[in-house]
Amino acid sequence: KSFLIPISFWIAKRVRKNKPLIIGLAGGQGSGKTTISSILTLILQKYFKLSVFKISIDDFYKTRKQRILLSKNKHPLLMTRGVPGTHDTNIMLNFFRKIKVKKFKSLKLPKFNKANDDRYKKKHWYKLKSRPDVVIFEGWCVGAKPQSLRLLKKPVNAIEKAYDKSLKWRRFVNLQLKTNYKKLYSQLDSLLYLKVKNFNLLKKWRIKQEEKLWLKSKSRKNLKIMNKKEVINFMQTYQRITEQMFKDAPKYSSIIMNLNKNHQIHKIKFN
């Protein structure tokens, strides 16, 4: 009541005729983006009678096959989904372009299956039959900006130290933020940011998330669900950008939602 309803009013006030409002929702892994975007979607649909389409940047991950190729051609760390460069930015840009055209035709958008680390078959993709009033585009690195070379040079964790001595991976990811992702994020009308105290809290929440994925999976065959150690390694590839966003994102976000250690919003700030 205190936070998500005022945010819904703020969004509804900005909706325009014939042009969807594109809202980015960012926050570290496990911060609760999916939950918050789902609740916002419900409020906007039920009480404001708006059509809302919610999608995650995760759904646009490159296929397993494409990432294998990327890891061979560019850097082995790019096999791990997550960082800029492991998404299909062309499909995303195309999506943003198509929902803005006057004569909107239906659209199919990919859906990613984290449990087996690959894209779902086309029959399971999202079907967008009419143009939405609001698009909520959520993701851990939505709105992230590139770093300076000085910051890139200093490794932030063991993975960077051991597997990216030459800075090749860091430079590649940073270049993506400077180019393709900058173009992509310029399509957003505004950014909402979930601010967490520190990276350790995110680790704790992300481990919990993976445990839930395991409990929810009906068939345990071919699963790519991670144990605690794997989650910690996996999150190290996210650490650099996440920690940079802790500092930067509040400066350019329209709304900052501060989370406490119990995973609840305890304060919001409208910029």
Side-chain angles (χ1 to χ4, degrees), residues 79-110:
M79 182 59 217
T80 306
R81 65 169 198 261
V83 295
T86 60
H87 307 92
D88 194 321
T89 46
N90 289 331
I91 299 182
M92 289 190 268
L93 272 167
N94 198 29
F95 158 54
F96 287 147
R97 260 198 298 270
K98 281 190 171 166
I99 52 166
K100 287 176 184 172
V101 296
K102 274 203 177 114
K103 287 179 179 160
F104 176 84
K105 287 187 173 69
S106 67
L107 201 54
K108 273 187 110 169
L109 292 164

Side-chain angles (χ1 to χ4, degrees), residues 4 9 17 24 29 32 46 56 63 81 85 100 107 112 114 131 142 148 157 168 196 204 225 230 239 242 247 252 255:
L4 298 182
F9 270 99
K17 255 202 161 91
Q29 273 200 307
K46 197 169 158 62
S56 169
T63 61
R81 65 169 198 261
K100 287 176 184 172
L107 201 54
F112 195 83
K114 287 182 182 175
R131 192 199 356 241
V142 168
S148 67
N157 54 39
K168 205 173 169 186
V196 181
K204 212 166 83 183
I225 291 170
E230 285 168 331
Q239 188 172 349
T242 303
K247 296 176 194 139
Y252 54 78
I255 301 173

